[in-house]
Amino acid sequence: MKVLLINGSPHPKGCTFTALSTVAAQLKKNGVESELIQIGSKAIRGCIACGKCKDTGYCVFKDDPVNEVIDLLRAADGVVVGSPVYYAGPNATLCALLDRAFFMKSAPYAFKPAAAVVSCRRGGASASFDRLNKYFTIARMPVVASQYWNSVHGNNAEEVVQDKEGMQIMRTLGDNMAWLIKCIAAGKAAGINPPAIEAWEATNFIR
């Protein structure tokens, strides 16, 4: 069992990384592996709705991490997407990546547990959290809850560690994600299969 962690921050060891690392550590305690991909500071172009991915399953642009993320999402049992808060919203580069990774390609992600994590100095966390969760709910991905909104607060990684409530929320999220993944695996082993996805839906998510 493996969870994909996507760090939407351009800072590889910053606040968002600290939050995701806390989730990863808790997943490990529960016997679930994780893999973290960091989108970095290079430009990721937005979706142009060309529709080519309907036939290939991949984005037509191959000069950024989007197609790598598509493969990782297909292989993972769950996903946690983390983002810093910019003007009460997620990182625009991360949204560009998710737009292209989910547009007409999200059927293989259906029924995989997913969660969003956001990092902010003070405000804008709930709006960013809501924006990211929409990718999951449109793609039939069960959204994993914690014990409060999945946010941490601080100007830097050191301050985030001092956010005791935020760190506890991340640990609880790791526990809940591991539990749900195991429940789904147990259900499948018992012959309980997810609902069928209609043909039109498989290629028309986020049209």
Side-chain angles (χ1 to χ4, degrees), residues 52-164:
K52 298 293 185 181
C53 57
K54 180 179 179 180
D55 300 320
T56 67
Y58 291 96
C59 185
V60 68
F61 300 121
K62 299 178 173 63
D63 55 353
D64 58 33
V66 170
N67 286 326
E68 177 187 2
V69 168
I70 290 169
D71 281 334
L72 291 171
L73 278 168
R74 288 172 178 167
D77 298 294
V79 62
V80 180
V81 176
S83 178
V85 173
Y86 293 171
Y87 289 91
N91 180 345
T93 304
L94 173 64
C95 289
L97 180 144
L98 295 174
D99 284 350
R100 287 168 51 205
F102 277 76
F103 181 71
M104 300 184 76
K105 298 178 284 297
S106 62
Y109 319 150
F111 312 113
K112 296 185 179 188
V117 165
V118 296
S119 169
C120 65
R121 182 183 67 87
R122 183 177 296 170
S126 59
S128 301
F129 184 59
D130 175 69
R131 171 79 168 86
L132 293 172
N133 280 330
K134 286 183 171 65
Y135 290 101
F136 312 142
T137 56
I138 291 172
R140 288 197 182 195
M141 303 175 77
V143 176
V144 182
S146 182
Q147 64 197 64
Y148 197 62
W149 294 309
N150 301 335
S151 59
V152 295
H153 295 77
N155 276 318
N156 52 54
E158 292 74 20
E159 290 184 3
V160 167
V161 171
Q162 294 171 24
D163 178 9
K164 293 183 179 181

Side-chain angles (χ1 to χ4, degrees), residues 1-5 23-24 26-27 30 32-34 77-81 112-117 136 141-146 150 169-184:
M1 297 178 183
K2 179 182 283 188
V3 173
L4 175 64
L5 308 173
V23 176
Q26 205 67 20
L27 288 169
N30 285 278
V32 176
E33 297 180 14
S34 62
D77 298 294
V79 62
V80 180
V81 176
K112 296 185 179 188
V117 165
F136 312 142
M141 303 175 77
V143 176
V144 182
S146 182
N150 301 335
I169 290 166
M170 296 303 112
R171 291 192 297 272
T172 302
L173 176 60
D175 286 338
N176 293 351
M177 172 68 77
W179 175 81
L180 185 53
I181 287 174
K182 291 177 182 179
C183 286
I184 291 172

